[in-house]
Amino acid sequence: RVAQSQLSGNNSVARKVMCINTGQVFPTARDANKWCGVNVTSVCLCCQGKQKWAGKHPETKEKLVWKFYKGEYNNEQKKKEKE
């Protein structure tokens, strides 16, 4: 079962999610749903490692992999930009 705190944009403890395929970061799983129509619960289950992928990219139809965003990906992107 997915906690309501992981779903709601109005909740101060909602967690950011990142689409590994595209590098896009969303404030909540609901915002990810608005982008590609993915099931909100499936995004959270994927982030928890209970599911391999959730939803498909709206244009390429590629299976999307999700993780809770912790900020480390941003540091990797900055390193790539410097190179």
Side-chain angles (χ1 to χ4, degrees), residues 2-3 5-7 13-20 24-29 40-50 65-73:
V2 177
S5 64
Q6 295 174 342
L7 304 178
V13 295
R15 297 174 73 180
K16 292 181 179 181
V17 295
M18 178 180 184
C19 176
I20 300 298
Q24 288 180 269
V25 178
F26 299 91
T28 65
V40 174
T41 302
S42 294
V43 171
C44 294
L45 290 173
C46 188
C47 290
Q48 294 169 0
K50 296 179 180 179
V65 179
W66 301 89
K67 297 287 179 193
F68 287 122
Y69 180 72
K70 298 177 185 172
E72 70 263 11
Y73 299 102

Side-chain angles (χ1 to χ4, degrees), residues 28-77:
T28 65
R30 280 204 175 130
D31 291 309
N33 166 271
K34 291 175 188 174
W35 171 65
C36 67
V38 64
N39 183 285
V40 174
T41 302
S42 294
V43 171
C44 294
L45 290 173
C46 188
C47 290
Q48 294 169 0
K50 296 179 180 179
Q51 197 169 297
K52 290 184 178 183
W53 59 276
K56 293 186 179 182
H57 191 283
E59 295 173 7
T60 65
K61 306 304 181 203
E62 162 185 31
K63 294 177 182 178
L64 299 174
V65 179
W66 301 89
K67 297 287 179 193
F68 287 122
Y69 180 72
K70 298 177 185 172
E72 70 263 11
Y73 299 102
N74 193 24
N75 291 336
E76 290 177 12
Q77 288 174 349

